[in-house]
Amino acid sequence: MSENLAIVILNWNGKSWLEKFLPSVIMHSKNAEIYVIDNFSTDDSLLFLQTEFPDIKIVKNDKNYGFAGGYNEGLKAINTEFYCLLNSDVEVTENWINPVLNLFKKDTQISAIQPKVLSFTNKKYFEFAGAGGGLIDNLGYPYCRGRIFDDVEEDKGQYDDETEIFWASGCCLFIRSKDFWEQNGFDARFFAHQEEIDLCWRLINSGKKIFYTGKSKVYHVGGGTLNKQRPQKTFLNIRNNLSMMLKNLPFPKLIWILFFRMILDGAAAFYFAYKNGISHLWAVLRGHYGFYAHIPGTLKLRQNNQIKCYYQTKWLIFKHFLGNKKS
């Protein structure tokens, strides 16, 4: 089945990441086609690929569309049954593909799958982006098995299972191409961050399943393309999370949850300012204004079949910051 798989890496000025991690992808991905979508890089990424890895297929975007739009544009040129959307700062391991494809083969309702995501810099621990599979609480706060907000767990085999989850990490996202395009891909307005959660939520609303397998593992640097300490990341996360909820939450929960979240965002703005600097307070405000600008387009994208049971726990922010829940 790996012959029906395209491993697709989105690149923007990421020569150093390609140089470091592309060899592991080539070594452990026999029979799969490997593509690099170049998001209009201005460094010498393309020259490097053509010189050092001439067998890698290259798709050139005509401008930087961001993570979401960049994949949407580039994937139009790739015809295959399965995509693996892989960050350029990910090291893959031996036999990382077969457990995923076996799950797809067992259940045609599974649309997307992620492997175990561990930290490249501290390989005993899970990595922020994905860990042991993504979940969401009743207020729309994303978390993972193995990571709650900034607290990550040590990998002791506690997530070596295969189980249904709510969202699969975009750092290593296996997805059926048919299902990807039936949902019109990522929401390109997001640019980057939480676009994979939104896509998975839409897939679940349409009756599909999202899965995790601990039989496959990868190591992710994290922050390789946008460091989480930068205000721009705070802005994108705030704006995109609110837009995602407006698009996917069922009525009547939608109104009170959005209102409550905006109050909590106000408190978070001062927390971010204290922890990371005043620029993050302004990033939260910008995120809200960006959300307001998105409202007309987001309402048009709402579907008619929002699931009611989208969350696995309630009030995670209070359990974490007041109740000290870290795992």
Side-chain angles (χ1 to χ4, degrees):
M1 288 179 65
S2 61
E3 295 177 355
N4 300 324
L5 171 69
I7 299 166
V8 188
I9 300 169
L10 185 68
N11 172 68
W12 182 72
N13 292 345
K15 175 190 171 184
S16 60
W17 298 119
L18 295 171
E19 190 172 18
K20 187 176 184 67
F21 293 112
L22 191 52
S24 77
V25 179
I26 294 170
M27 179 184 300
H28 298 303
S29 309
K30 306 299 183 186
N31 299 323
E33 296 280 2
I34 302 174
Y35 291 81
V36 170
I37 298 174
D38 187 74
N39 228 2
F40 207 65
S41 293
T42 56
D43 68 356
D44 57 348
S45 297
L46 290 179
L47 179 61
F48 167 74
L49 285 171
Q50 291 164 354
T51 304
E52 300 297 327
F53 300 100
D55 293 333
I56 298 296
K57 295 178 173 61
I58 299 173
V59 178
K60 298 179 184 179
N61 286 342
D62 60 359
K63 65 178 181 179
N64 181 5
Y65 290 91
F67 184 94
Y71 267 122
N72 285 354
E73 289 299 314
L75 290 174
K76 293 175 183 177
I78 302 173
N79 183 22
T80 189
E81 185 175 1
F82 303 102
Y83 299 133
C84 172
L85 311 186
L86 185 69
N87 274 22
S88 58
D89 61 345
V90 171
E91 178 185 68
V92 304
T93 62
E94 185 177 2
N95 196 40
W96 70 296
I97 292 175
N98 285 340
V100 174
L101 295 183
N102 288 338
L103 266 179
F104 277 131
K105 188 176 179 180
K106 287 179 183 177
D107 190 343
T108 58
Q109 290 302 107
I110 297 176
S111 284
I113 301 171
Q114 78 152 79
K116 179 191 292 188
V117 182
L118 299 170
S119 169
F120 179 78
T121 55
N122 190 347
K123 294 189 174 183
K124 291 183 179 180
Y125 283 80
F126 288 95
E127 210 280 315
F128 182 89
L135 304 170
I136 199 167
D137 86 333
N138 63 318
L139 298 179
Y141 287 110
Y143 65 103
C144 305
R145 302 192 313 157
R147 189 270 296 176
I148 298 178
F149 293 102
D150 288 338
D151 289 294
V152 294
E153 299 176 31
E154 183 178 357
D155 178 20
K156 298 180 178 179
Q158 67 270 44
Y159 306 117
D160 283 352
D161 56 351
E162 293 185 321
T163 188
E164 195 166 355
I165 55 176
F166 189 76
W167 58 272
S169 173
C171 82
C172 185
L173 173 63
F174 289 83
I175 188 165
R176 295 183 192 271
S177 60
K178 178 176 178 289
D179 293 335
F180 182 87
W181 291 117
E182 281 185 354
Q183 294 298 323
N184 296 313
F186 294 123
D187 188 333
R189 302 173 308 156
F190 281 28
F191 192 79
H193 297 301
Q194 302 202 32
E195 68 289 317
E196 78 269 49
I197 306 177
D198 170 63
L199 175 59
C200 288
W201 199 336
R202 286 184 277 134
L203 286 166
I204 292 172
N205 281 341
S206 70
K208 302 295 184 178
K209 300 176 185 177
I210 314 299
F211 254 75
Y212 161 87
T213 175
K215 296 179 180 180
S216 169
K217 66 180 178 182
V218 299
Y219 296 98
H220 183 216
V221 173
T225 53
L226 184 57
N227 190 286
K228 70 178 182 178
Q229 300 303 322
R230 287 182 56 186
Q232 182 68 3
K233 187 177 181 76
T234 299
F235 159 72
L236 290 170
N237 276 324
I238 293 292
R239 184 195 66 179
N240 295 349
N241 187 264
L242 292 172
S243 293
M244 173 180 70
M245 290 193 294
L246 177 59
K247 187 192 300 182
N248 295 295
L249 276 173
F251 285 114
K253 293 180 180 179
L254 171 64
I255 303 303
W256 76 262
I257 288 178
L258 277 178
F259 178 75
F260 194 34
R261 271 297 305 275
M262 288 183 178
I263 295 174
L264 291 175
D265 283 352
F270 290 98
Y271 172 77
F272 291 149
Y274 168 76
K275 186 177 180 183
N276 298 318
I278 193 70
S279 59
H280 287 263
L281 185 151
W282 297 118
V284 173
L285 293 177
R286 287 175 52 229
H288 277 217
Y289 284 118
F291 164 64
Y292 301 147
H294 272 183
I295 286 176
T298 302
L299 289 174
K300 292 179 181 178
L301 294 173
R302 276 186 63 87
Q303 300 169 333
N304 296 320
N305 54 339
Q306 283 80 6
I307 60 167
K308 295 181 179 180
C309 299
Y310 58 91
Y311 56 87
Q312 290 71 33
T313 190
K314 291 184 176 182
W315 318 115
L316 184 64
I317 191 169
F318 301 110
K319 292 177 181 179
H320 177 75
F321 289 102
L322 300 180
N324 203 35
K325 180 174 178 57
K326 298 182 183 297
S327 63

